Amino acid sequence: MTILLSTLNARYAHASLGLRYLYANMGELQAQTHLQEFVIGAKTTDLLERLLAWQRPDEKLIIGFGVYIWNVEETTRLVALIKRVAPEVLIVLGGPEVSYETQEQEIVRLADYVITGWGDISFAEICRQILNGPKPIMKIHAGVQANLSELTLPYQYYSDTDIRHRTLYVEASRGCPFKCEFCLSSLDKTAWPFDIDAFLVEMDNLHARGARLFKFVDRTFNLNIKTSLKIMQFFLDKLAAHPDDPVFAHFEVVPDHLPDALKAGIAQFPEGTLQFEIGIQSFNPEVQSRISRKQNNEKAAENIRWLTSHSHAHLHVDLIAGLPGETIDSFAAGFDKLVAIGPHEIQFGILKRLRGTPIIRHTEEFGLRFDPYPPYTILANKDLPFADMQTLVRFARYWDLIANSGRFNHTLPVILGDAPFANFMALSHWIYAQTDATHKIALDRLANLVTKWLCQERGLDPQQVTTMLGKDYAGDRKHIQSPELLGQPRSQLKPEANNKAAQKRQHRHMQTS
């Protein structure tokens, strides 16, 4: 019997932690188990050919697929083709997308078995039953939640190629004690820690092999401060020992829980080595209460201000539009408040209805209408009709292109002025009216659009705008080749280096590549 562990990652640079956990815990079946990762967007028949190349005459082939919101449609097509060409191949599904509302999904109908929830040990057990009997009777199996101390950690199965070219995902804990209704982690009873000493031994081994980028998937990294400090000290020791070959660590942190001991540790990290993802989601207390989100807004704002002023950490802060009861005015107020606090990036997200999340309990009262196809984005609610929601979607896209790109750092404050949401919304409306597009806008064209808007709609002096854009261009030479702003060729733009912008782009690349 040959067993394949497969998934379609969102991009090549993402290495699947879930598959490696399954592989690490296959026991005596590991010798006949193989990893086969793909990337979304590939031709389905090409993936089919590569998978079926593992098939041997008179021998069972089991393929376990990790199914997620970003790959479920393509994985469904792939499973359908497998069953059309080689129906004898056994398909076992797992992952968050098939763990809830399971029976209504086409991919579940096509598959032989489905594991809901934790699959670390349950996948191997199903394979044993297929191989040795008795054959599993039920199609859908609730995954067994093992004690974390019983799991074999997967980090040795990151290959040398993974270490050189891909993001390494790691976790010091699983689960989340909070109950935010838009998040799958709200279904967890609590958070469970791995043994910190055993975990750090694995991190040390990765570092010795050349790993320098560590992205933690823990939902609440700073929940246990003693553990957080121990992990941070590990990275600080590596930075001290190898200052010319620094590590970079990415954590998701709770914004209103930043005691002095943690601040002291954070303050020691040099620039370019630490990134925090911080979920604010909404500053509206009524909305927070409605979706079971507990957050001290003033403490959260105070902590983000401290991080921007007293640390070198790069801050990526999230807001979500479309939450039940959040009007466009209340969202705008929260957005303006966050801009004033000054994080490096504001991730403007649109609410999604992840399968199994309790957010659906508000569907009727607040008229929530979601796209039935992945990623299940909200289309409208009683406070935000479809047309208004579309304007927010476009705002989010242009915000990524202009604000979060780091390519307009000198120009952005002028765009935002003293009314950030209103001014950027005006720019968003104007760009869409000029282009009828939110994607495939070349950077040169975008810069010219911003320039024209500032001059024609805001009445700014063309030379002032040219100077501002020139500073941004000087810091982005490799991205912008031959622009002309208001008729000014590149040679007339001031060659001012923009090192901070370049550093910020590097941080973003390390996070998303």
Side-chain angles (χ1 to χ4, degrees):
M1 180 172 69
T2 298
I3 304 167
L4 294 184
L5 294 169
S6 187
T7 194
L8 280 69
N9 295 316
R11 58 185 68 182
Y12 170 76
H14 296 176
S16 173
L17 179 61
L19 292 192
R20 285 161 178 79
Y21 263 110
L22 297 180
Y23 184 79
N25 290 278
M26 289 300 292
E28 77 285 0
L29 297 179
Q30 191 182 77
Q32 58 206 87
T33 304
H34 309 273
L35 294 177
Q36 182 74 78
E37 294 178 88
F38 301 114
V39 180
I40 59 173
K43 190 176 180 181
T44 307
T45 50
D46 290 344
L47 306 186
L48 173 66
E49 183 178 18
R50 291 177 63 182
L51 290 172
L52 294 186
W54 290 92
Q55 195 171 24
R56 301 289 181 266
D58 302 320
E59 185 177 293
K60 287 187 175 68
L61 174 61
I62 300 174
I63 305 178
F65 283 108
V67 188
Y68 301 86
I69 194 171
W70 63 80
N71 71 17
V72 59
E73 292 186 308
E74 293 185 36
T75 308
T76 301
R77 291 197 294 271
L78 180 55
V79 171
L81 288 190
I82 293 171
K83 286 301 184 180
R84 182 66 60 92
V85 174
E88 68 280 3
V89 172
L90 297 175
I91 303 295
V92 183
L93 306 178
E97 184 64 13
V98 295
S99 290
Y100 305 95
E101 304 171 25
T102 306
Q103 296 284 9
E104 64 188 57
Q105 299 185 55
E106 173 66 9
I107 192 171
V108 171
R109 185 189 68 79
L110 292 165
D112 297 283
Y113 304 105
V114 179
I115 300 171
T116 63
W118 295 44
D120 306 84
I121 61 175
S122 296
F123 177 77
E125 182 56 33
I126 284 181
C127 291
R128 290 187 188 100
Q129 292 177 24
I130 293 171
L131 179 62
N132 302 318
K135 184 178 179 181
I137 299 173
M138 303 297 292
K139 181 171 190 170
I140 298 175
H141 299 254
V144 175
Q145 181 174 334
N147 188 309
L148 296 186
S149 63
E150 299 173 3
L151 295 181
T152 301
L153 296 180
Y155 303 109
Q156 63 180 303
Y157 301 113
Y158 282 125
S159 69
D160 291 342
T161 298
D162 295 333
I163 290 173
R164 286 194 302 270
H165 301 296
R166 308 175 81 184
T167 299
L168 302 188
Y169 294 94
V170 302
E171 58 175 0
S173 65
R174 284 190 186 177
C176 180
F178 302 110
K179 303 301 176 186
C180 308
E181 294 180 8
F182 54 82
C183 180
L184 267 177
S185 295
S186 66
L187 304 176
D188 296 328
K189 294 180 180 179
T190 184
W192 301 274
F194 285 89
D195 178 86
I196 187 60
D197 294 322
F199 172 77
L200 290 178
V201 167
E202 295 292 331
M203 297 304 98
D204 192 51
N205 291 337
L206 281 176
H207 185 273
R209 293 176 58 200
R212 296 297 181 268
L213 171 57
F214 297 79
K215 186 167 184 178
F216 282 70
V217 298
D218 303 54
R219 302 302 297 174
T220 50
F221 169 74
N222 57 328
L223 186 66
N224 184 319
I225 298 302
K226 289 184 178 179
T227 299
S228 302
L229 290 173
K230 201 163 188 177
I231 293 171
M232 284 193 162
Q233 191 59 53
F234 169 85
F235 287 108
L236 287 170
D237 291 344
K238 297 303 181 188
L239 288 166
H242 308 277
D244 297 327
D245 188 18
V247 293
F248 180 89
H250 173 110
F251 303 105
E252 183 171 335
V253 300
V254 180
D256 56 1
H257 186 52
L258 211 65
D260 290 341
L262 193 57
K263 288 180 178 178
I266 292 168
Q268 297 179 58
F269 280 80
E271 191 162 8
T273 61
L274 187 62
Q275 177 160 303
F276 289 144
E277 185 169 346
I278 301 172
I280 291 294
Q281 319 308 3
S282 173
F283 275 119
N284 186 324
E286 291 184 8
V287 172
Q288 291 172 330
S289 176
R290 185 173 296 120
I291 62 172
S292 307
R293 181 172 179 80
K294 296 181 179 180
Q295 178 174 283
N296 183 326
N297 286 337
E298 293 311 310
K299 192 65 176 178
E302 176 188 326
N303 286 338
I304 296 173
R305 288 191 192 96
W306 184 91
L307 288 167
T308 60
S309 302
H310 296 89
S311 83
H312 296 294
H314 186 80
L315 307 183
H316 176 120
V317 184
D318 297 337
L319 289 176
I320 297 178
L323 292 168
E326 183 89 87
T327 67
I328 198 165
D329 289 339
S330 69
F331 182 85
F335 182 89
D336 287 351
K337 181 175 182 177
L338 189 53
V339 169
I341 294 171
H344 303 100
E345 293 184 43
I346 298 174
Q347 181 62 48
F348 186 152
I350 308 297
L351 178 65
K352 297 173 178 59
R353 191 197 76 81
L354 305 182
R355 291 185 183 274
T357 53
I359 197 76
I360 60 170
R361 73 187 184 95
H362 303 292
T363 297
E364 294 307 316
E365 181 181 359
F366 289 92
L368 306 183
R369 299 293 180 263
F370 294 94
D371 189 332
Y373 301 102
Y376 315 117
T377 305
I378 193 166
L379 300 172
N381 62 35
K382 75 171 188 177
D383 296 299
L384 290 170
F386 177 71
D388 288 349
M389 197 68 75
Q390 286 296 99
T391 66
L392 291 174
V393 170
R394 288 192 287 272
F395 184 115
R397 175 57 181 163
Y398 295 137
W399 182 260
D400 276 344
L401 291 175
I402 295 171
N404 287 341
S405 69
R407 293 165 172 167
F408 294 86
N409 287 341
H410 292 86
T411 311
L412 183 63
V414 177
I415 294 173
L416 300 181
D418 58 1
F421 184 87
N423 286 334
F424 201 88
M425 182 61 83
L427 173 60
S428 176
H429 286 317
W430 188 86
I431 292 177
Y432 189 66
Q434 300 295 312
T435 64
D436 195 31
T438 57
H439 292 77
K440 298 183 179 179
I441 302 176
L443 186 54
D444 289 3
R445 186 185 184 197
L446 184 62
N448 277 289
L449 287 165
V450 169
T451 300
K452 290 179 181 178
W453 181 78
L454 287 171
C455 295
Q456 296 175 9
E457 303 298 315
R458 292 278 294 274
L460 271 64
D461 176 68
Q463 186 56 51
Q464 176 190 355
V465 175
T466 301
T467 300
M468 283 191 305
L469 265 294
K471 293 178 181 179
D472 289 329
Y473 272 54
D476 213 345
R477 294 178 189 275
K478 68 181 180 180
H479 294 290
I480 304 176
Q481 301 300 321
S482 57
E484 292 190 2
L485 305 176
L486 296 176
Q488 300 292 325
R490 171 179 281 284
S491 60
Q492 295 184 27
L493 300 178
K494 292 185 178 180
E496 179 178 322
N498 187 351
N499 292 328
K500 286 189 178 295
Q503 290 167 351
K504 289 177 182 178
R505 282 192 299 277
Q506 182 184 30
H507 295 167
R508 272 187 300 278
H509 174 73
M510 296 176 82
Q511 176 200 356
T512 60
S513 63

